[in-house]
Amino acid sequence: MIKKILVSQPQPTSPKSPYFDIAARYNVEVVFHPFIKVEGLSAKEFRQQHINISDYTAIVFTSRHAVDHFFNLCKELRVSIPEDLKYFCITETVALYIQKYVQYRKRKVFFGATGKINDVLPAMVKHKTEKYLIPLSDVHNDEICKMMESKSLNHTECVMYRTVSNDFAKDEAFDYDMLVFFSPSGITSLQKNFPDFEQKEMAIATLGPTTAKAAREANLRVDVEAPSPQFPSITAAIEDYIKKVNG
């Protein structure tokens, strides 16, 4: 019987979230608590990378986290942002998010349409003389680096933020019937918070093949897996499971 679900994501800002529909339709309690959170490096930590932000003429943003932590570090380091600095963003959403920090002219902001970095690469190639700085998380792959190297673009990667475990309070009740995970980091955080965790009858739902793989490698039973041909979204898969289990 599913009565209480822990969703390891921040609570949706929209009242139209499918999670709220599930809660109302099946009389279940849905609690939102991310297992992981993103935090920025301090100015002292960033200085250890020996990177001078002012040396660069273009910034590559792969996420809104990158935008936040770049501008926050610039403020902390008292780096003034030149008006002619160019921004190359993975999506239009990330490009528009820059306006939270600076007013920009359209000609200085470039973005792709597909959400993949290779979609914005042609725009970078057109600006081959720029010195590119790429703010990243402490956990990242070499995809961007390899692409830029293949086009002989002058670039430097730097770590500006990291993913850490979002710990639970010691006296916090962990009385859930289902846990919903969205990344392998969430599984790692579960193990860190609850080293003696026993799944027993608790259901586990995962989004994405890497999350499911991490759960199974942690000797957890995956009861709900999405996306699948039948259920493209995690909420649809969860709803189907609740129907079957709760009758």
Side-chain angles (χ1 to χ4, degrees), residues 16-53:
K16 294 180 179 179
S17 166
Y19 290 109
F20 299 139
D21 294 339
I22 289 171
R25 198 174 294 138
Y26 300 97
N27 194 27
V28 298
E29 182 183 355
V30 179
V31 177
F32 297 92
H33 183 118
F35 272 85
I36 54 173
K37 61 184 177 181
V38 174
E39 66 177 25
L41 266 63
S42 66
K44 182 182 177 183
E45 289 172 314
F46 180 73
R47 284 194 193 100
Q48 291 170 1
Q49 297 177 71
H50 305 292
I51 287 171
N52 182 7
I53 295 172

Side-chain angles (χ1 to χ4, degrees), residues 138-183:
D138 60 333
V139 179
H140 60 269
N141 58 37
D142 297 328
E143 181 189 11
I144 300 172
C145 182
K146 286 176 180 175
M147 281 186 186
M148 298 190 80
E149 281 176 357
S150 72
K151 302 296 182 184
S152 302
L153 295 169
N154 183 345
H155 67 283
T156 301
E157 294 179 300
C158 63
V159 173
M160 286 194 174
Y161 54 101
R162 59 182 159 236
T163 303
V164 297
S165 178
N166 188 19
D167 294 345
F168 287 73
K170 290 280 186 280
D171 56 350
E172 193 171 335
F174 203 73
D175 54 350
Y176 300 98
D177 304 303
M178 176 184 277
L179 308 179
V180 186
F181 292 99
F182 300 87
S183 71

Side-chain angles (χ1 to χ4, degrees), residues 47-154:
R47 284 194 193 100
Q48 291 170 1
Q49 297 177 71
H50 305 292
I51 287 171
N52 182 7
I53 295 172
S54 300
D55 289 344
Y56 297 88
T57 58
I59 313 295
V60 180
F61 286 131
T62 56
S63 69
R64 286 186 290 185
H65 285 309
V67 175
D68 283 331
H69 296 297
F70 170 78
F71 286 105
N72 289 340
L73 262 175
C74 284
K75 186 177 179 182
E76 197 177 341
L77 293 163
R78 294 180 182 167
V79 173
S80 59
I81 308 290
E83 285 192 11
D84 58 352
L85 187 66
K86 294 182 178 71
Y87 305 100
F88 294 81
C89 306
I90 198 164
T91 62
E92 186 178 11
T93 303
V94 173
L96 292 170
Y97 190 69
I98 295 170
Q99 293 180 107
K100 179 179 175 183
Y101 296 97
V102 290
Q103 292 295 319
Y104 66 73
R105 298 185 189 91
K106 287 290 182 186
R107 64 182 175 82
K108 293 175 189 167
V109 182
F110 308 86
F111 54 84
T114 63
K116 293 180 179 176
I117 195 68
N118 57 359
D119 198 33
V120 77
L121 197 62
M124 295 184 202
V125 173
K126 286 179 183 175
H127 296 83
K128 205 153 190 164
T129 58
E130 304 296 339
K131 285 188 71 178
Y132 290 91
L133 183 65
I134 313 168
L136 294 169
S137 163
D138 60 333
V139 179
H140 60 269
N141 58 37
D142 297 328
E143 181 189 11
I144 300 172
C145 182
K146 286 176 180 175
M147 281 186 186
M148 298 190 80
E149 281 176 357
S150 72
K151 302 296 182 184
S152 302
L153 295 169
N154 183 345

